């Protein structure tokens, strides 16, 4: 097949010393920024200008300095020679969520979760997006697939539902795509499940891994659809069939690990022999994937957590977890954390360990891990928020609020500060609902984090809407006695809103906060 960008890439390497210099802007240096990737030294607008001039695709990394799995991706994938070599055929752009204008770009490209890798053509059409949790060698392969086929991924999926045939390369690109990172509303999940199921059936018969991944993604969307999906039972059977083939299942473990409580509960509700059979096969698959070196160690630990979730959802209510599973989880956590001292690499391991310990109902163990990590972490406020959540579950409300307060005060970056501030206010509303003055002062301070250019987009908007609901519920529970507080916060928000142009999408989100409360 024609490789338009690959051929061009060889020419670029030959003439790079003669080409015009890229447009320079503010390329900030970030913690653990991969040094071997030739990040574009300029604005994202400038990157697309250069990309069009050189006919190169743009590779955007979207992450945050506090994000554990961002550090896992950077430490395990961006350092690989195959990925570094492939990245030279793209125009790589490092976009931290706290960079100026980053959240607005996130809105434009429909990216929200950290980390996300997204490939776009010079005209800003999305070719593929990738997240964490897959075979580390697959990232370079995915870039290869993106170079092979430049049709926008949404157009490719729509063409399949319209009856178009899929080549192996097209099938592989759809399977490599991290669909879970799409910013779809739940009302569209049923349609997405149908499209992905059609794509799976349209893949070549020998594309077993690709078909398995697409059917698994379809099962996830069908189980989480706003309305019951007629496809769900058939997709459950597809997942069970995948799990019956150990080699195939472990290769597709990244997609299988995405299956959540809603999927497992739908399997249990179906009854018969399926719940026990699927549970046993899924547990065996995750156990095997948790020792497979194709996956980063942090992802291996997340497979152990997926194993625990399936056991809890698909076993009898209040059934004890198998002792050997519990012992193995503790042993793997201890081994991982004692061996790795690099704070950036450790962050993903600690995050996965906390997930495991909380699913083991080992709150004291989770508390110790989070507490001990604060002193060595590159972003200690991240673990203070984790520690607050654990302390709250242990009934230590005052400690939880102190930790949330400290985490907010210590957080850095506009987007991050609003995120941690919203966590703090939510904590106050849950744990100290009678402390009206503290809630008022904290809410006002947190809203002020949005007073600046390009701040009220998807990530912030979701949290702003959550804060709106929680404040309204707090007022309703007090029979309207906090109406003056809500009115004051709405007026404070309006002082921010008037600075946003009417035509900007952020203006409507801003104006809606506590309106008519």
């Amino acid at each position: 097949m024609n490789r338009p960008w690959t051929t061009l890439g060889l020419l670029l390497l030959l003439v790079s010393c003669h080409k015009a210099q890229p447009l320079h802007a503010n390329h900030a240096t970030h913690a653990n920024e991969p040094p071997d990737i030739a990040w574009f030294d300029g604005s994202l607008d400038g990157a697309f200008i250069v990309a069009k001039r050189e006919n190169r695709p743009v590779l955007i990394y979207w992450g945050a300095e506090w994000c554990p799995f961002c550090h896992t991706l950077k430490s395990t994938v961006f350092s690989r020679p195959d990925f570094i070599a492939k990245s030279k055929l793209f125009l790589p752009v490092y976009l931290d969520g706290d960079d100026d204008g980053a959240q607005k770009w996130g809105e434009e490209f429909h990216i929200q979760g950290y980390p996300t890798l997204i490939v776009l053509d010079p005209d800003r059409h999305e070719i593929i997006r990738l997240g964490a949790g897959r075979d580390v060698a697959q990232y370079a392969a995915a870039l290869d697939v993106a170079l092979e086929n430049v049709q926008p991924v949404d157009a490719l999926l729509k063409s399949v539902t319209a009856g178009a045939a899929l080549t192996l390369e097209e099938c592989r690109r759809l399977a490599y795509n991290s669909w879970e990172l799409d910013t779809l509303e739940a009302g569209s999940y049923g349609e997405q499940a149908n499209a992905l199921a059609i794509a799976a059936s349209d893949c070549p018969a020998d594309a077993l891994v690709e078909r398995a991944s697409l059917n698994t993604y379809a099962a996830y969307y069908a189980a989480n659809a706003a309305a019951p999906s007629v496809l769900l039972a058939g997709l459950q059977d597809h997942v069970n069939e995948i799990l019956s083939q150990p080699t195939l299942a472990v290769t597709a473990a990244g997609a299988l690990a995405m299956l959540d409580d809603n999927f497992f509960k739908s399997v249990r509700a179906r009854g018969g022999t399926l719940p026990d059979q699927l549970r046993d096969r899924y547990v065996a698959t995750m156990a095997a994937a948790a020792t497979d070196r194709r996956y980063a160690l942090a992802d291996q630990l997340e497979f152990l957590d997926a194993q625990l979730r399936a056991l809890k959802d698909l076993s009898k209510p209040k059934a004890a977890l198998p002792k050997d599973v519990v012992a193995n989880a503790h042993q793997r956590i201890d081994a991982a954390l004692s061996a790795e001292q690099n704070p950036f690499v450790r962050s993903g391991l600690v995050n996965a360990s906390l997930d495991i310990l909380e699913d083991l109902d080992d709150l004291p163990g989770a508390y110790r891990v989070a507490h001990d990590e604060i002193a060595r972490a590159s972003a200690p406020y991240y673990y203070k928020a984790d520690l607050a959540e654990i302390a709250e579950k242990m009934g230590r409300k005052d400690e939880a609020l102190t930790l949330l307060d400290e985490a907010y005060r210590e957080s850095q970056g506009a987007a991050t500060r609003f995120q941690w501030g919203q966590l703090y206010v939510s904590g106050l509303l849950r744990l100290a609902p009678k402390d009206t003055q503290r809630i008022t002062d904290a809410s006002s301070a947190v809203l002020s984090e949005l007073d600046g250019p390009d701040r009220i987009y998807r990530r912030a908007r979701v949290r702003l809407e959550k804060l709106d609901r929680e404040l309204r519920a707090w007022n309703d529970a007090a029979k309207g006695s906090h109406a003056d507080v809500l009115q004051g916060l709405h007026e404070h928000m309006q002082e921010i809103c008037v600075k946003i142009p009417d035509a900007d999408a952020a203006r409507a989100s801003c104006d809606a906060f506590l309106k008519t409360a």
Side-chain angles (χ1 to χ4, degrees), residues 28 36 108 113 154 198 206 228 231 273 278 288 379 392 405 418 463 473:
D36 296 318
E108 178 169 342
D154 57 345
I198 292 173
D206 58 350
L231 299 175
T273 60
L278 189 144
E392 180 178 347
D405 186 6
F418 179 69
R463 292 185 174 276

Side-chain angles (χ1 to χ4, degrees), residues 371-395:
H371 181 274
D372 292 349
E373 201 62 23
I374 289 172
R376 73 173 83 203
S378 60
Y381 56 86
Y382 178 86
Y383 293 107
K384 287 192 176 183
D386 276 347
L387 194 60
E389 180 181 346
I390 298 165
E392 180 178 347
K393 291 178 180 178
M394 296 173 75

Side-chain angles (χ1 to χ4, degrees), residues 353-367:
S353 298
L354 292 176
D355 289 341
I356 292 171
L357 290 168
E358 291 197 50
D359 280 329
L360 288 173
D361 297 320
D362 183 3
L363 293 178
Y367 185 95

